[in-house]
Amino acid sequence: MKNSLPKPPRPAEKLLEFYCDESLVEEIAGDMEERFLDHEEIHGLRKAQWKYWLNLFKFFRWHTIKR
């Protein structure tokens, strides 16, 4: 049996890659995944996924959008 870590919602990750400047994607995605894993451990998978989406929308700023 495989013990794999839960993954953030794939559509949210794709949206991040689509709108975010290439120089920031890796850093932001890594930070968000860490927060996702913390939330999953504390609150469970469903709430962690919801919070991932919420955090994604908080990153919508003019300085993070692709130009």
Side-chain angles (χ1 to χ4, degrees):
M1 190 161 139
K2 241 189 335 187
N3 286 340
S4 61
L5 293 174
K7 298 281 185 182
R10 188 67 186 137
E13 290 181 313
K14 291 300 246 181
L15 180 61
L16 177 65
E17 292 169 7
F18 173 76
Y19 94 85
C20 192
D21 188 62
E22 290 86 9
S23 64
L24 301 173
V25 169
E26 191 173 326
E27 183 178 344
I28 291 173
D31 291 346
M32 288 184 59
E33 187 169 351
E34 283 180 36
R35 293 183 91 188
F36 170 78
L37 293 173
D38 290 342
H39 286 133
E40 191 276 332
E41 188 176 307
I42 296 167
H43 303 290
L45 182 60
R46 179 76 63 188
K47 191 163 187 178
Q49 289 174 335
W50 181 81
K51 284 184 171 262
Y52 188 90
W53 278 102
L54 184 65
N55 288 330
L56 174 67
F57 291 120
K58 288 180 182 179
F59 275 112
F60 283 136
R61 304 276 190 251
W62 288 111
H63 68 278
T64 60
I65 296 176
K66 283 185 183 177
R67 291 189 176 24

